[in-house]
Amino acid sequence: MERKENEIVSENGKPEIPKDGSICGYDSLHRLLQSSLTPQIFQEVSRLLVGLNCGRALDTITIGEPAKSLSSEHDFDLQAFSFNAEQESLREPRIVRVGLIQNSTAIPTTAPFLDQKRAIFQKLTPIIEAAGTSGVNILCLQEAWMMPFAFCTREKKWCEFAEPIDGESTQFLQEFARKYNMVIISPILERDVNHGETIWNTAVIIGNRGNIIGKHRKNHIPRVGDFNESTYYMEGNTGHPVFETAYGKIAVNICYGRHHPLNWLAFGLNGAEIVFNPSATVGELSEPMWPIEARNAAIANSYFVGSINRVGTEFFPNPFTSGDGKPQHADFGHFYGSSHISAPDASCTPSLSRHKDGLLISDMDLNLCRQIKDKWGFRMTARYDVYADLLARYVKPDFEPQVISDPLLNKKTL
């Protein structure tokens, strides 16, 4: 097979990931495989990697010219797919169009904070417009989209980006919600003015009329590698809320919460049909986990999952360390994008670019959620009473694990 012109090869002949964050010069693994394999082989590989929706490959959606023009002019990845459900006799299809936006920061982190925030607003405007003109009903942005992800630095000056629930970022998005009749999930750094100016990692749910439906605060806070976010905020106190919107019941499992299966379960028990996972995570830490966890959650809980990750490498003015013995550094690493949507029937979309801003659009028939529940019976066959009993005992100080040892384990043989 001939090597592509933009593929980087090291001295030992093995491909390397280019510094721009692409995969051997390709935007994503899906596009690398599509370019490298014959159509017949790629079709079979794709079946194994992204699954089948109702027994066939995922349908693509034709994007309108306004969105395509915005994508071309502002250089962001634009992809669109459709998840189908089986035709039912007693229920009409419940088609919802969902959009996910991934993006890099707009200007260096050394710029004045207000300039940084306004530059992100300006950068996102054409991408949000593309979603709106494409008829997106529910749009979700990435974790802390209105600022650089500075929580590696442990410098408190970045708290200046925090804002109230009804602050500048919310007001910016409310205009789009009203203009396009669109529900928008806005993950921000929240400042809770009524409770001593406390900082939270929060998702604001903006209704399709521009109203604020509610908020959810991040349940699980990472303390791994550079991700020492408890310097800024602690575990949330909003439980596992599901928001009933004009287009369906949605929930938000913010970033690190995706590593906790019971967190996913709780949103499902509360009736979520779509769970969004706005994130900020880097390749060295989590990339092999990224295509697995959300898809598993969609399968186990019979709902759709939208996974969003920011893009690019963000450099900060002062180098920092993470207590892991590695030299000080001025960046987290590469945020690898790769946003995608997973369905309850184990199918999923190809990912957006690993190194470019992007908008992923997907139609989904929410009837598929109940159809999969009926097919697999996960709710019916679960043993919640048994799990509840174990958890109730586990949280007590005198908990004893249920371990049965081989009575011959410590006996000497003759």
Side-chain angles (χ1 to χ4, degrees):
M1 185 178 297
E2 294 184 0
R3 178 161 53 91
K4 302 292 181 183
E5 291 182 1
N6 55 358
E7 181 178 341
I8 297 177
V9 178
S10 64
E11 292 181 359
N12 62 12
K14 294 182 178 180
E16 293 181 346
I17 295 178
K19 293 188 188 320
D20 65 358
S22 66
I23 302 177
C24 302
Y26 293 92
D27 279 351
S28 66
L29 175 62
H30 186 84
R31 286 172 174 165
L32 184 155
L33 293 173
Q34 189 173 33
S35 177
S36 304
L37 302 176
T38 65
Q40 183 178 3
I41 294 177
F42 174 72
Q43 182 180 12
E44 183 65 6
V45 169
S46 183
R47 179 185 70 83
L48 296 172
L49 286 179
V50 300
L52 299 176
N53 171 234
C54 294
R56 62 181 186 271
L58 207 60
D59 293 331
T60 57
I61 298 173
T62 301
I63 298 295
E65 283 303 321
K68 288 166 65 175
S69 296
L70 287 167
S71 169
S72 177
E73 181 181 352
H74 297 278
D75 192 29
F76 61 85
D77 190 12
L78 178 61
Q79 299 185 49
F81 302 91
S82 178
F83 293 96
N84 297 302
E86 299 295 343
Q87 185 69 36
E88 297 188 16
S89 300
L90 302 180
R91 288 196 304 174
E92 294 295 322
R94 299 177 58 217
I95 309 297
V96 175
R97 179 161 290 190
V98 168
L100 312 179
I101 292 178
Q102 65 177 42
N103 62 277
S104 59
T105 52
I107 59 178
T109 59
T110 51
F113 286 179
L114 184 58
D115 291 349
Q116 291 188 51
K117 181 180 284 190
R118 296 288 170 79
I120 292 174
F121 286 5
Q122 184 177 8
K123 184 178 193 180
L124 280 184
T125 293
I127 310 180
I128 299 173
E129 290 283 358
T133 58
S134 298
V136 165
N137 302 127
I138 307 173
L139 180 67
C140 187
L141 280 62
Q142 66 198 25
E143 183 183 20
W145 66 271
M146 26 64 78
M147 63 178 292
F149 206 76
F151 311 125
C152 52
T153 67
R154 296 186 291 283
E155 296 173 346
K156 290 305 182 77
K157 66 180 182 180
W158 303 101
C159 291
E160 290 188 45
F161 278 97
E163 56 186 71
I165 291 298
D166 58 355
E168 184 180 16
S169 297
T170 299
Q171 294 169 26
F172 168 72
L173 294 176
Q174 284 175 311
E175 293 299 319
F176 293 105
R178 284 188 281 264
K179 179 178 180 180
Y180 291 111
N181 196 34
M182 184 164 58
V183 172
I184 302 179
I185 298 132
S186 173
I188 65 169
L189 188 65
E190 177 201 354
R191 184 175 294 279
D192 186 356
V193 178
N194 291 337
H195 293 88
E197 306 269 351
T198 304
I199 304 293
W200 302 95
N201 186 318
T202 301
V204 182
I205 315 302
I206 302 170
N208 58 305
R209 297 181 180 179
N211 57 306
I212 298 175
I213 298 176
K215 65 178 182 290
H216 173 56
R217 292 167 174 162
K218 187 172 181 176
N219 277 330
H220 299 276
I221 309 303
R223 297 163 180 87
V224 53
D226 288 334
F227 290 82
N228 292 293
E229 298 172 34
S230 54
T231 302
Y232 300 88
Y233 43 78
M234 299 299 287
E235 286 74 14
N237 58 2
T238 52
H240 297 85
V242 169
F243 303 93
E244 187 169 14
T245 73
Y247 305 112
K249 295 179 180 179
I250 65 175
V252 190
N253 184 3
I254 303 174
C255 197
Y256 190 70
R258 72 181 177 278
H259 304 306
H260 295 268
L262 291 180
N263 208 41
W264 291 110
L265 172 65
F267 292 118
L269 294 179
N270 280 331
E273 297 170 306
I274 311 170
V275 179
F276 295 91
N277 179 225
S279 301
T281 185
V282 295
E284 183 179 357
L285 182 66
S286 66
E287 196 162 12
M289 305 159 74
W290 181 251
I292 299 171
E293 290 173 306
R295 195 172 178 187
N296 283 349
I299 296 167
N301 296 287
S302 303
Y303 51 47
F304 289 91
V305 175
S307 303
I308 313 98
N309 186 27
R310 66 172 56 207
V311 180
T313 304
E314 300 173 6
F315 294 94
F316 295 95
N318 302 315
F320 51 87
T321 61
S322 298
D324 55 6
K326 295 181 180 180
Q328 65 177 3
H329 44 285
D331 69 282
F332 252 129
H334 179 71
F335 294 102
Y336 53 82
S338 305
S339 303
H340 62 281
I341 294 175
S342 306
D345 66 353
S347 61
C348 66
T349 67
S351 297
L352 285 178
S353 172
R354 192 180 187 274
H355 66 115
K356 290 176 61 176
D357 297 347
L359 169 63
L360 177 62
I361 296 173
S362 176
D363 285 349
M364 50 185 68
D365 187 342
L366 297 183
N367 283 352
L368 185 62
C369 298
R370 193 168 81 179
Q371 291 176 9
I372 296 301
K373 287 178 181 178
D374 289 347
K375 177 179 180 179
W376 283 98
F378 291 151
R379 286 284 180 267
M380 180 179 65
T381 57
R383 301 293 304 278
Y384 298 116
D385 55 339
V386 177
Y387 312 148
D389 176 68
L390 173 61
L391 290 171
R393 289 185 288 109
Y394 180 76
V395 297
K396 294 180 179 179
D398 60 352
F399 171 72
E400 292 288 340
Q402 185 181 6
V403 178
I404 301 174
S405 298
D406 182 347
L408 303 180
L409 192 62
N410 297 315
K411 287 189 176 183
K412 296 181 179 179
T413 57
L414 298 177

